[in-house]
Amino acid sequence: DQQVKQNSPSLSVQEGRISILNCDYTNSMFDYFLWYKKYPAEGPTFLISISSIKDKNEDGRFTVFLNKSAKHLSLHIVPSQPGDSAVYFCAASARNDYKLSFGAGTTVTVRA
Amino acid sequence: GAGVSQSPSNKVTEKGKDVELRCDPISGHTALYWYRQSLGQGLEFLIYFQGNSAPDKSGLPSDRFSAERTGGSVSTLTIQRTQQEDSAVYLCASSRKTTGFATNEKLFFGSGTQLSVL
């Protein structure tokens, strides 16, 4: 039972443009959300997170938006760079839970 | 070491054989997780260790899977009588504490073991 869903398995974007990655969740107990980035042959690395008390968190070129009523979050990358080509995983946890639930990932390809 | 270390990086085995996957977490990290990613799927939680507490084994898919963590550090995931559906990338992760991710805790992942069962 997939509680975190990333319905777009892949995304191709031109360098300099915006990348928008979407994530939906079903568990209303989730209150903390993270994005991880994964390069081939490497483990996922933490990118950015957001708590349910916020609807936006920004870190440089990366911004995460949270819409709790829709149980939806998105990651914006502006401007996209070739080094952003990777798999991006959305993850979520409930308060005081030690487990993360992950989506299946979205593969982003940034074209020069 | 500086990061989470996993070995081997690749393992090819025949159906029915046993395999052992090793994880060396970041020094000082008390929490250790095993996840796996099958083709086209998200990361699936397998097992969680925290200090000397009893592990949370709720994610282990069958009794062919077991894991141990010796001395609160290195962990070994064992799969007995491997099946083709066990083929996946097995990822180990560690973190400093377990009061919940809302405290801005993060998981640090190893590079994973690609297991292929023929």
Side-chain angles (χ1 to χ4, degrees):
Chain A
D1 157 31
Q2 198 85 6
Q3 297 187 77
V4 178
K5 298 178 182 178
Q6 295 176 255
N7 292 319
S8 296
S10 64
L11 171 70
S12 181
V13 64
Q14 193 161 11
E15 182 178 3
R17 298 293 186 101
I18 184 172
S19 294
I20 300 177
L21 291 78
N22 293 303
C23 177
D24 298 290
Y25 61 96
T26 58
N27 189 340
S28 58
M29 300 300 292
F30 286 154
D31 69 348
Y32 195 68
F33 306 89
L34 307 89
W35 285 92
Y36 277 79
K37 176 179 179 180
K38 183 183 183 301
Y39 292 118
E42 295 183 12
T45 55
F46 171 77
L47 184 59
I48 192 170
S49 62
I50 188 167
S51 166
S52 60
I53 62 173
K54 295 184 176 181
D55 55 17
K56 176 182 174 182
N57 188 28
E58 190 173 350
D59 183 2
R61 297 184 296 112
F62 302 90
T63 303
V64 55
F65 296 91
L66 175 62
N67 183 333
K68 285 173 290 186
S69 61
K71 293 191 177 68
H72 176 84
L73 62 157
S74 61
L75 175 68
H76 292 208
I77 308 173
V78 184
S80 300
Q81 299 176 352
D84 297 331
S85 296
V87 179
Y88 291 79
F89 292 99
C90 175
S93 76
R95 182 173 296 278
N96 295 325
D97 194 357
Y98 49 76
K99 285 184 282 191
L100 287 177
S101 296
F102 284 86
T106 296
T107 300
V108 172
T109 303
V110 180
R111 309 185 309 270
Chain B
V4 177
S5 178
Q6 290 188 247
S7 61
S9 56
N10 282 282
K11 177 71 176 178
V12 180
T13 190
E14 293 179 351
K15 177 182 173 181
K17 300 284 189 181
D18 297 351
V19 295
E20 281 191 356
L21 312 180
R22 177 188 167 105
C23 172
D24 201 341
I26 294 173
S27 177
H29 281 194
T30 60
L32 186 147
Y33 303 74
W34 284 96
Y35 280 83
R36 76 173 175 180
Q37 186 182 19
S38 303
L39 196 62
Q41 304 296 314
L43 277 67
E44 174 190 5
F45 168 79
L46 296 178
I47 189 169
Y48 161 78
F49 296 90
Q50 164 56 19
N52 295 321
S53 302
D56 177 354
K57 305 179 182 179
S58 61
L60 294 179
S62 78
D63 58 8
R64 295 186 296 104
F65 288 71
S66 63
E68 62 178 21
R69 188 179 185 190
T70 54
S73 181
V74 172
S75 177
T76 302
L77 177 69
T78 301
I79 309 173
Q80 295 178 309
R81 305 180 303 281
T82 53
Q83 304 294 313
Q84 289 182 331
E85 61 262 28
D86 300 334
S87 297
V89 177
Y90 289 80
L91 290 160
C92 177
S94 68
S95 68
R96 287 175 302 170
K97 56 183 180 178
T98 59
T99 53
F101 292 95
T103 59
N104 208 31
E105 194 49 64
K106 302 179 189 62
L107 287 186
F108 295 84
F109 283 88
S111 300
T113 294
Q114 173 72 63
L115 176 65
S116 301
V117 182
L118 304 179

